[in-house]
Every structure is written in C-alpha cells, then in structure tokens.
Amino acid sequence: MKVVILAGGFGTRISEESHLKPKPMIEIGEKPILWHIMKYYSEYGYHDFVICLGYKQYVVKEFFADYFLHTSDVTFDLANNRMEVHNNYSEPWKVTLVDTGLNTMTGGRVKRIQPYIGNEPFMLTYGDGVSNVDLKALVDFHRSHKKTATITTVNLGQSKGVLNIDDNNSVLSFREKDDNDGALINGGFMVLNPEVFDYLKDDATVFEREPMERLAAEGQMKSYYHKGFWQCMDTQREMKKLEELWQSKNAPWKIWKD
C-alpha cells in the first residue's frame, strides 16, 4: 500500500521558518518533519511514498537527491572529482516526488497523483503532523467496514479551564481541562480506496470540503478515533514542543531504533 503525503502548501502560519523552505522540511532533531513521518510509516512496513510537492519543491527534491550526504560520512576527493560514501545506511524507501502545482488545493494535489496510485487502496496524510497511531489497526479497521474512506480523528483539546454555566449565566463549576474536552478533528493518517478519485474534480478542489462532505453524506466515510499522541506543526510554539519532546528522548512517534 502506497503512502501519499501532502507537502506542497505555503505554511503561512509558521512563516518564520517556511519562507526559507516548505513546512514539511522544517527540522525536528536536525531532520525534516517529513522524514519523521516517513520513518514512522516505514516501521509498519510501508516503504513506497508519493509526495505531493508545490511550494519550494526543489528543496524536497534536493534533500532526497543528496540523501547520502545527509545520512552518511563522505570523503570528497577534489583532485580526482570523486565522492566516497562511508557507512551508507539507507532506508528501504521508494520515493516519488510529484510537482502538483504551486497553488493547487489539497484535493487537486491528490487528484494529480492518481496515475502513480493505480486501482488500489492507499494511505494519505499531511506533511506537518506526527502521531503514534496504530497503523496496522487503522488499516484493519478500514478493510473491515469496506467504505471508501477512513480518517483518523483526534481530540483537539482545550487550552484553558472549563466552565459550567447555567441559563442565567451563573457559573456553576470550574475545572481544569482534560483529554476529553474539545472538538474531534481530522488528524490525517487516512486510508482511501481508489474510488475517492471520483470525488475530486480539479486543482481548486479542497479535499476537506466538498469531497469529504459528499463522502460523509453518502455514508462512505468512517472515523478511526485515536486517543494517543498527535501533534501538528502549525506554529513556532508547536515546533518548539516537538523539538523538546525529541531532545528529551520521549518523542511518542519515535518507534524506530537508531
């Protein structure tokens, strides 16, 4: 099963970093968050990636073109114009990098990679979020219900305390937030059948709007609720949180061995 990663947006909400590189290439622990996502999928046996590019796509292409430079010791023999790679460990990945357009919306990007998927189910996620979702259980759940789409839902949570207020505006109680407060949101880590392409029109299609609304209305979408760790990287504060988790060696998404 192939893994499609959306990595073409502008990342305007974290523009302090994304004006230099695409958001999925912003580093956590000196590695792009895109790399972290791919490592996570790879631990579950998913090694075939299709990455939807757009904004500053050359940065992603150059990263993979020079992958050994990022992961190995090298000797440059300048006199003889040679490079020798030492300890050249590489992941068992096949990575297809697709230019899906600079201003293309999420649904349009997925539509553009259809030729690389074929008539088979595939996984889809965003290039700016990490999690410890059980991918095996997610895929098993998707196969069990036989619908077109499964999305992993997570609890966004509340950042403040919670008030209980009656109809007369009297505060009846106050408590600190807990993990059950907040709204359920689409956390990415989706599994889709190829029929989903029929819901995608053109570059202007926003996957999270009409396609998802139609899938839901037609009873073709299921939610896989994930109670564990999930974190996107929309802001500098969230980037710092992920970096602190990584440096503390307590990153919940880090399930692979060094």
Side-chain angles (χ1 to χ4, degrees):
M1 188 179 291
K2 295 181 180 179
V3 180
V4 178
I5 303 177
L6 293 166
F10 287 96
T12 53
R13 285 183 286 183
I14 191 170
S15 58
E16 301 93 337
E17 299 285 338
S18 63
H19 76 286
L20 298 173
K21 62 185 71 173
K23 186 164 65 165
M25 295 304 292
I26 296 173
E27 294 179 349
I28 303 297
E30 299 185 340
K31 288 289 196 302
I33 191 171
L34 176 64
W35 178 89
H36 290 260
I37 296 167
M38 295 171 69
K39 287 285 285 186
Y40 188 81
Y41 274 98
S42 191
E43 279 299 297
Y44 279 89
Y46 299 104
H47 307 306
D48 195 345
F49 298 93
V50 179
I51 303 179
C52 303
L53 303 179
Y55 175 67
K56 294 186 182 295
Q57 59 167 309
Y58 64 89
V59 177
V60 184
K61 290 179 177 177
E62 289 175 356
F63 174 79
F64 286 104
D66 296 332
Y67 193 77
F68 285 129
L69 294 180
H70 299 281
T71 59
S72 307
D73 298 330
V74 294
T75 297
F76 292 99
D77 183 348
L78 301 183
N80 295 294
N81 191 27
R82 291 190 312 211
M83 180 183 76
E84 181 180 0
V85 178
H86 310 282
N87 305 318
N88 57 331
Y89 171 79
S90 61
E91 285 80 6
W93 296 347
K94 178 182 178 183
V95 186
T96 303
L97 304 172
V98 184
D99 178 8
T100 56
L102 182 61
N103 297 301
T104 309
M105 298 293 102
T106 50
R109 295 190 190 282
V110 176
K111 183 69 172 178
R112 285 208 191 189
I113 56 88
Q114 184 175 0
Y116 299 96
I117 299 300
N119 190 33
E120 61 184 36
F122 63 99
M123 307 183 85
L124 173 68
T125 197
Y126 301 103
D128 63 353
V130 287
S131 177
N132 63 354
V133 61
D134 186 334
L135 295 179
K136 181 182 183 303
L138 170 64
V139 172
D140 288 346
F141 174 73
H142 176 77
R143 287 172 173 161
S144 71
H145 63 62
K146 303 184 186 304
K147 302 298 183 182
T148 301
T150 298
I151 64 171
T152 296
T153 51
V154 296
N155 197 303
L156 185 60
Q158 296 279 4
S159 60
K160 308 296 182 183
V162 179
L163 294 171
N164 182 19
I165 301 173
D166 67 13
D167 293 338
N168 296 317
N169 295 318
S170 297
V171 177
L172 302 179
S173 64
F174 174 87
R175 63 175 172 81
E176 291 298 316
K177 67 181 179 68
D178 65 36
D179 290 339
N180 294 317
D181 294 320
L184 293 180
I185 64 167
N186 171 19
F189 298 93
M190 296 169 263
V191 188
L192 305 169
N193 289 343
E195 292 79 19
V196 75
F197 291 114
D198 296 335
Y199 293 77
L200 308 175
K201 295 180 180 178
D202 53 30
D203 285 357
T205 302
V206 179
F207 184 63
E208 298 79 5
R209 294 182 183 170
E210 183 183 351
M212 281 196 172
E213 291 168 359
R214 279 187 57 203
L215 286 164
E218 295 174 9
Q220 288 297 318
M221 179 181 291
K222 290 285 189 177
S223 161
Y224 179 81
Y225 180 45
H226 173 58
K227 296 181 180 179
F229 175 83
W230 176 88
Q231 181 62 60
C232 65
M233 190 181 65
D234 275 340
T235 64
Q236 284 273 22
R237 179 182 63 81
E238 290 167 342
M239 182 183 71
K240 182 179 179 181
K241 176 181 178 180
L242 292 174
E243 182 67 30
E244 289 173 349
L245 284 170
W246 183 263
Q247 295 301 335
S248 70
K249 301 187 184 303
N250 290 314
W253 69 91
K254 203 273 187 184
I255 60 174
W256 58 90
K257 295 181 181 179
D258 294 324

